[in-house]
Every structure is written in C-alpha cells, then in structure tokens.
Amino acid sequence: MLQFIRSKAGTFVVKVLFVLLILSFGIWGIGDFLRSSPQDATVATVGDHKITGDVVQRAVRQQVDRLRQQFGGNFDMEQAKAFGVVDQAVDGLVTQTVLDQEAERLHLAVGDKEVALLVQQEPAFKNAQGQFDPGQFKIRLGQAGYTEASYVALLRSEQPRIDLASVAGGTVAAPQALADLLYRLRNEKRVADWVFLPSAAVKDIPAPDDAALKAYYDKHPDIFTAPEYRGFTALALTAKDVAADVKIDEAQLKDAYNQRQDEFVKPEQRHLLQMILKDQKSAVDAEAQLAQGKDFVKLAQDLTKADAATVDLGDVAKKDLPTELADPVFAAKEGEVVKPIQTAFGWHVVKVTKVDASSGKSFEEAKPQLEADARKDAESDALYAFSNKVEDAVSAGADLATIAQQFKLTPYTVKAADERGLDPDGKPIPDFAIASDALTKTAFATAQGATSGLEQVPNGSFYLVRTDSVTAPALKPLDAVKDQAKTAWTNEQRTQKVADQAKALADQIKPDQPLAKLAAAQKLQLSTTKPFIRNNPANQAGIPGPVVAKLFDLAPGGVATAATPDGEVVAQLKDIQAADPVADKDKVAALTGQLGQQIGDDVLNQFDRALRTLHPVSVERDRIANLF
C-alpha cells in the first residue's frame, strides 16, 4: 500500500483513482452499499482510531465489483476471499489510518499556497507551452466528475499521506557496483555440449525373482498402501431448489433498467475543437475568420500558441463540459461554430466537428439480460434464506434423513472415496451438484457418524455431509499388487542403470577426451546449446532444466550430470560469454532504477512497521470473517 501511495503520487489520473479508493473506504462518507451484519462494530483499531465493519464492507464490495468487470459476473465473495481481497482491503485501511495518525501527530497540513502549487504543477492541467491552463483544468475535472472544491479537498486529504510515504522511501540511489554485478550475473551467457541418455533405451533388465520382489515391496510400503477411504452422505441446496418460488415483475425490471443507464445507454458525444481567447473582440474576430473558411486548428495555434492536441478536445459528453458551454455546444449542428461564450477562464470559441448520437439498448432489448440478472440475484437471496432454515434444523438436532425429508432434498451417497474423490477401483465418484473435491474435503474433516456444518461453494450453493464410515489406510497384499511391483522394480533398475551410465561417461571426460569426442566414439547424439543466461527463459538453452543451474557453477571444461523424469543428461561447459555493463548503459541504468525502487520499497515496509508500533494496530479477524 505504501508503495502504491509513493509511486502514484504525481499524476492527476491516479489522484482521481485514489479518491475512488477513499470513497470505497468510506473516509468521505459517500456511497450507499448493502450491509450484511452489524456494521458499526469495530473490526480494527489504529491508535485511538476505530475502523468499523461498514467501512471494510464498502472497500471489499467495491473491489469485488471491479473484479467482476474483469473476470465476469460469476466472481463471488468466496473467490474474492480466496484472492485475498478482504485482507488487502483491511491492510489498505490500516495503512491509510496509520499515515493519517502520523500526519496528525506531526501536524502536517496542506495550506492554500501548497494546494495552488500542486494544481499548477499537475501536467494534466498544462497547455502545450507547459503552462497552467485554467480551461484545461476545468474540463479535465469535469471529465473526471469532480468540482474544483472536491479536487482541492482530495489534495488536502491525500497530500500529507503522500508526503510521508515519499519522504520515507524517497528516491534511493542503488550503488553502481551492485548494479554492475547484478547485470553481469543476469546477462552472462554460457554454451555447453550435452548428451541425453534415455531410460527407455535400457532393455537388458532381467525379471525380478521372488526375493527381489518381496524386498522391493517391503522397502516401498507407501507405493502399495491403499489410502484412507470414507463413506458419506451429502445434501445439496442449489438455486434449482428455490427457482420456482422466485417471481420477477415488470416494474422491478424497469427500475433496474433506469438504474443501469450507464451500462445500456451511451449518451450523445460530440467531437470538439476549442480555443480560449482573452476578450470578446478577439473571440468575435476568430469566429469571423472561421466563417471565411480559415482552418480552426491553424487559427487557434496562431492566436493562442496552443498545439493541436490542446485544441482538439476529442469526443466529449454533455456532462463533461462546464455548465456555460454544455447547452449551446450540444444545441449546435455538426460542422457549426458555436457563438463565443464567456466563462471564468475567458472567451471560448468551439467547433462541433462530429456528432455521435446516443445509442444503446431499449428496455425491451435489455429485458432478457435484466431478467436473468434479477432472477440470479433473487434466487441467491432465496437460497440464502432457505439455507438459514436448513441450518436452524441442523442446530436443533435434526438428522440428515429428517432434513432431506423435511426440505425435499435428495440424498447423495458414496460408499467409499479417498481424498482425491476416487473409489477403491480408482474411478471418480459420480457427479453431484457439489464438486467432489469439496465433498471429500468436508467428509475427511468430519468425524465418523457426525454431520458437518452447512458449507457454501463459490457458485453460491450450500451442502451438508455426514461421514458414514472410515476405512483406515492398509497395505495391500503382495499377491494383489504383484504386477504393479514388478513394473515399479523394473523402472527403478532401469533408472539406476542409466544413472550409472551417465556417471561412467562423465568420469571418462578429460582435457584430451572432451564429451564431443567421447560421444562420437560411442555413437551418442551430441547437442550444443545456444548461448543461454542464468534463468534460461523459454528454455533458451534447449537443454533439460535440471542441468542449467549446475552449468553456472562450473569453469570451462567442467562436467555436470542431472536426472530427468525419463533419463540422464551429461553436459560439459564449453564457453563463458561475459556480460559488459559498460556496453549496455541503458539496461544498466534501468536495473539501477529497479534496485533503487526495491531498496526504497524495503525502507517503506520498515517505515510501515515502525508506524504500526508507534500507533498500535489491532485487527479483529473473527469479526471481519463474520462480515462476509
């Protein structure tokens, strides 16, 4: 979190994004989010400041909404928890609050002069000459949905935090010697000759006698031991169980359509060119010249010294314009120059170069999607209410058979399954409404004869499991696994023999008998790697991975062997190509910057830990878990 604050301190766009983060955390008291439990309960304290459950819920729900846009509408709270969204939100809140408390302790504040300077230095508000442009300032704020007052409030709130984080981490200069050394290590290249000895080529393995087979069986009981099996019965509560009770009416869909206008309707946009002149006479003269056929962009550049990018505002919606400009600009026709308009920033001359009419889906067109979404939400609510009734029955002591009969649920019975969801014959257990991994995990966590609590899976369904039987792991008789034991023993012999061959070949390599010469004499296929670096991206070396690291521990002529899943590699280092940092100054400079950033981040982390000691942090994890 501190790294985010420091690294994003200088941009208008990120200041706008950061205010969204603040809104989600409830610091501004804006936003209306659903709450699922007592939200006024304190879930964390930082010094003398309390963070309540509703603030955490707001942060989490807004982040879940963003992730749904990224991953699709099926992204639910269980997945969010698995992604660490809740922990990240809490940590972010704590970091912000710690910084606020430290800023208050140090009496840090942003005065009017500092605010003005921050606004004037923001690149997004400058014209082509690098000067602060009041018109650009107004338009950019309007496009972002903020007034001058709300943006100033943002600066006053955030800048003390940014200042603290920036001073703590600062710009750390990494030692040049460190950057050069790391560059050499990362970019040094090596070349090697190598041969591969496949295990499958070993054919002369005799069949094991009974004594050898028994010895192997006794030595490897883990291979021949049947896993623990559990028999269980499960009940599932799914959306299908409540679908018939869910009714969606037309009025509900129309309300949803009106609330989701931004999703279904694209407002009219206009492509605008603009110049801002100091007085009315200049604006009227410019209008007259345009009427005579003068090019708008060229005239604007001549009169205001602005560049083309500043003149061209691009596609703009009505809501993005200052109030004085919005109505006349959107009343003009395509190709028309709007009569000069005065605002606090001067006289505006605007040309509408293109009109994109509003578009989107009508209510009838959007109705199927609205109905599907409404039904999904309603079924989710109904299923939650249904699960509460089932949970109440479980708490009252009802057994699984009674619950199934009372709520018309069909039991699902498995006689025996291991933790992987396989039966004693190695076949997957039959499909069910709940995935087998969830069922077996719960069955193996529940004592024999006991019934689990009501569990929920990512798609929103619920389930109960009663563990009916437990079969302990048992060593299978040798007679029952004789074929399996023979295969395993033969593979072990083959693996050992090819390892011995690899060692023998490696021992033969001498200065006057390199691997290349031995490979030719023994009719082995020799390969030579392409030059490769230490981390061997995309198998740059073209050699099995296990031997790569060993080759970087060798001097030229050195030999390494390594086992692979299907054989052995014997390799001899042929060449070392040193990396020269002097010849690659740009990459070294980039690496120096990365090291400085990493060192700065380490300092920031230490600063964060120190602040959390100065302003003690306490997080009630159980209370937070109950919120979701």
Side-chain angles (χ1 to χ4, degrees):
M1 188 68 189
L2 281 173
Q3 287 91 331
F4 172 82
I5 294 172
R6 182 187 66 163
S7 63
K8 307 302 184 185
T11 67
F12 167 72
V13 172
V14 174
K15 288 189 178 83
V16 170
L17 290 176
F18 204 70
V19 82
L20 293 177
L21 185 64
I22 299 166
L23 292 176
S24 75
F25 288 165
I27 292 174
W28 291 67
I30 300 173
D32 183 20
F33 294 86
L34 296 175
R35 298 168 173 84
S36 61
S37 62
Q39 298 82 23
D40 56 351
T42 298
V43 296
T45 57
V46 179
D48 58 3
H49 182 88
K50 296 180 179 180
I51 299 173
T52 56
D54 60 333
V55 175
V56 173
Q57 284 187 318
R58 253 177 246 155
V60 171
R61 291 186 186 281
Q62 184 147 348
Q63 182 62 14
V64 168
D65 288 342
R66 293 192 189 113
L67 290 170
R68 279 178 178 155
Q69 294 175 5
Q70 189 173 352
F71 296 107
N74 291 329
F75 189 87
D76 58 24
M77 189 56 67
E78 289 301 315
Q79 291 169 305
K81 288 191 282 188
F83 269 58
V85 170
V86 175
D87 291 338
Q88 291 167 15
V90 172
D91 189 61
L93 284 167
V94 168
T95 295
Q96 286 198 358
T97 308
V98 164
L99 287 171
D100 284 342
Q101 296 232 318
E102 183 64 6
E104 183 178 346
R105 187 182 74 86
L106 297 175
H107 304 292
L108 297 182
V110 181
D112 293 340
K113 289 183 179 179
E114 288 79 10
V115 169
L117 186 62
L118 288 168
V119 171
Q120 291 170 6
Q121 289 178 341
E122 172 55 56
F125 305 147
K126 293 182 178 181
N127 59 24
Q129 289 72 44
Q131 300 171 331
F132 174 71
D133 184 338
Q136 187 78 354
F137 172 63
K138 186 80 171 178
I139 290 171
R140 291 300 296 272
L141 288 187
Q143 290 173 339
Y146 296 98
T147 64
E148 181 177 341
S150 65
Y151 183 63
V152 168
L154 165 66
L155 291 179
R156 291 189 190 278
S157 172
E158 287 307 307
Q159 199 58 40
R161 295 178 190 160
I162 293 170
D163 289 343
L164 271 175
S166 298
V167 170
T171 301
V172 180
Q176 192 61 48
L178 176 60
D180 289 347
L181 175 61
L182 188 56
Y183 177 85
R184 290 190 183 96
L185 287 172
R186 286 184 176 180
N187 295 282
E188 176 186 284
K189 293 182 178 180
R190 301 205 166 196
V191 178
D193 287 334
W194 63 284
V195 296
F196 177 63
L197 305 177
S199 299
V202 179
K203 302 294 186 183
D204 54 344
I205 304 295
D209 57 27
D210 290 345
L213 202 59
K214 179 67 166 60
Y216 184 83
Y217 170 82
D218 291 340
K219 184 179 178 182
H220 301 283
D222 53 309
I223 298 177
F224 307 110
T225 297
E228 178 180 320
Y229 290 102
R230 296 208 170 195
F232 58 87
T233 302
L235 298 178
L237 289 64
T238 70
K240 291 181 180 179
D241 296 312
V242 297
D245 299 326
V246 171
K247 308 297 180 186
I248 306 297
D249 59 44
E250 190 90 350
Q252 182 181 351
L253 297 180
K254 287 183 177 179
D255 286 343
Y257 179 76
N258 292 331
Q259 293 171 9
R260 295 167 63 179
Q261 285 289 297
D262 289 345
E263 179 181 346
F264 294 114
V265 179
K266 178 184 176 183
E268 178 183 325
Q269 289 188 321
R270 297 188 163 214
H271 195 107
L272 306 180
L273 301 177
Q274 174 188 255
M275 64 178 89
I276 302 177
L277 300 162
K278 61 183 179 180
D279 54 49
Q280 185 177 14
K281 182 178 182 308
S282 300
V284 171
D285 289 345
E287 181 190 17
Q289 293 184 62
L290 292 171
Q292 294 172 7
K294 284 287 185 72
D295 179 77
F296 192 103
V297 174
K298 188 175 186 310
L299 180 61
Q301 290 175 315
D302 292 341
L303 296 178
T304 68
K305 308 305 179 185
D307 63 9
T310 303
V311 174
D312 190 340
L313 298 183
D315 294 331
V316 179
K318 188 173 183 179
K319 66 181 179 62
D320 296 334
L321 291 174
T323 305
E324 302 94 329
L325 292 176
D327 287 337
V329 166
F330 272 76
K333 298 177 181 178
E334 186 171 313
E336 184 178 346
V337 175
V338 181
K339 291 289 183 183
I341 301 168
Q342 185 182 22
T343 73
F345 306 110
W347 285 84
H348 299 250
V349 178
V350 180
K351 181 176 181 179
V352 179
T353 63
K354 186 176 69 171
V355 175
D356 288 330
S358 62
S359 61
K361 294 181 179 180
S362 66
F363 170 71
E364 290 301 324
E365 291 171 328
K367 188 175 178 180
Q369 181 181 345
L370 289 166
E371 187 167 7
D373 292 346
R375 175 163 290 280
K376 182 178 179 181
D377 290 343
E379 287 178 355
S380 178
D381 292 341
L383 181 58
Y384 184 75
F386 183 41
S387 72
N388 284 337
K389 294 178 182 178
V390 173
E391 194 164 35
D392 289 344
V394 174
S395 300
D399 61 26
L400 211 67
T402 302
I403 292 171
Q405 184 176 12
Q406 179 182 347
F407 296 102
K408 299 179 181 179
L409 300 173
T410 303
Y412 166 82
T413 301
V414 172
K415 290 184 178 179
D418 65 15
E419 286 188 282
R420 299 172 298 167
L422 302 178
D423 67 16
D425 293 327
K427 297 178 181 178
I429 59 177
D431 289 338
F432 185 52
I434 305 299
S436 62
D437 58 345
L439 293 174
T440 54
K441 181 179 179 180
T442 303
F444 273 78
T446 304
Q448 183 173 354
T451 300
S452 71
L454 197 63
E455 303 284 349
Q456 189 176 22
V457 291
N459 68 4
S461 297
F462 296 85
Y463 69 95
L464 285 166
V465 171
R466 181 189 66 213
T467 300
D468 300 322
S469 63
V470 176
T471 303
L475 183 64
K476 300 175 185 177
L478 177 57
D479 288 343
V481 294
K482 205 163 192 176
D483 290 340
Q484 180 186 354
K486 285 181 180 179
T487 300
W489 181 90
T490 301
N491 288 338
E492 183 182 76
Q493 296 299 308
R494 186 177 283 121
T495 297
Q496 184 58 53
K497 189 159 187 177
V498 81
D500 293 341
Q501 291 173 353
K503 183 178 183 305
L505 178 59
D507 290 343
Q508 293 174 50
I509 297 173
K510 308 294 180 187
D512 60 340
Q513 290 288 316
L515 178 61
K517 188 174 180 179
L518 292 171
Q522 298 178 29
K523 297 182 179 180
L524 300 172
Q525 182 177 343
L526 181 78
S527 300
T528 301
T529 68
K530 296 177 181 179
F532 59 93
I533 58 176
R534 194 175 296 268
N535 66 347
N536 191 29
N539 195 16
Q540 183 184 56
I543 188 173
V547 79
V548 171
K550 293 184 176 183
L551 288 169
F552 273 88
D553 291 332
L554 301 176
V559 179
T561 64
T564 73
D566 51 359
E568 289 274 340
V569 175
V570 179
Q572 183 175 28
L573 185 62
K574 191 173 183 179
D575 186 33
I576 296 176
Q577 300 175 1
D580 182 8
V582 176
D584 199 356
K585 293 183 179 179
D586 290 343
K587 284 188 178 179
V588 174
L591 180 58
T592 303
Q594 293 170 9
L595 287 171
Q597 179 70 40
Q598 291 169 4
I599 294 170
D601 289 348
D602 288 342
V603 174
L604 278 173
N605 288 332
Q606 293 177 31
F607 179 58
D608 186 34
R609 288 196 294 270
L611 287 184
R612 293 183 188 218
T613 300
L614 185 61
H615 307 284
V617 174
S618 174
V619 178
E620 302 291 340
R621 297 289 176 187
D622 290 342
R623 291 183 183 178
I624 292 171
N626 289 334
L627 294 173
F628 306 98

